[in-house]
Amino acid sequence: MQSYTIGQAARLLGVSPDTARRWADAGRVATHRDEGGRRLINGRDLAAFSVEVGHGAHAEDGEPYTSARNAFPGIVTAVKLGDVAAQVEIQAGPHRLVSLLTREAVEELGLEVGMQATARVKSTSVHIDRT
């Protein structure tokens, strides 16, 4: 059975290693130690926990409820404003996402280069949530 380090589990869960560590310390997910003393999470336990986290994530972390499930949290790397339209680029890990939206939406969200944002992909549209 494959096991995952706290860091690997955090990446798979979409949280920081500190958050994954706190969850393990609180007993939300079981860990064991390898011969080198590293904390590991059994793959089956992590799979079950990821489903649990996925079902309760929006309620506990303050994220808005949305029907878009493909979320890419990242950092805004470019904002190009036109008279009516705008283009926003987000780097989310290895993924570069570009969204075309109204200038008004960009201004309402206060999007600027360097701030955290989440691109949500649904069908052929990319939605931007300010985080």
Side-chain angles (χ1 to χ4, degrees):
M1 169 61 57
Q2 179 160 353
S3 292
Y4 297 88
T5 65
I6 294 288
Q8 290 170 326
R11 278 190 296 282
L12 291 169
L13 294 168
V15 299
S16 72
D18 286 338
T19 296
R21 232 177 260 107
R22 281 192 299 272
W23 286 344
D25 290 345
R28 290 189 61 191
V29 62
T31 63
H32 62 279
R33 299 218 180 246
D34 67 4
E35 8 357 284
R38 293 182 311 164
R39 290 172 70 180
L40 300 174
I41 301 172
N42 175 288
R44 288 190 188 276
D45 292 341
L46 182 59
F49 183 66
S50 69
V51 171
E52 176 188 325
V53 168
H55 281 86
H58 298 302
E60 73 183 43
D61 68 9
E63 279 193 44
Y65 287 98
T66 180
S67 62
R69 297 291 179 229
N70 300 317
F72 295 87
I75 187 166
V76 176
T77 57
V79 176
K80 298 173 187 164
L81 297 175
D83 291 337
V84 176
Q87 178 178 314
V88 175
E89 295 181 25
I90 293 178
Q91 191 69 39
H95 309 289
R96 177 180 164 261
L97 297 114
V98 179
S99 179
L100 301 176
L101 57 164
T102 65
R103 178 186 181 121
E104 180 181 12
V106 171
E107 290 171 346
E108 284 179 8
L109 290 170
L111 295 175
E112 298 176 350
V113 171
M115 72 184 322
Q116 291 182 1
T118 300
R120 293 192 188 275
V121 180
K122 182 166 181 172
S123 186
T124 58
S125 300
V126 176
H127 306 266
I128 305 293
D129 296 340
R130 180 177 173 181
T131 52

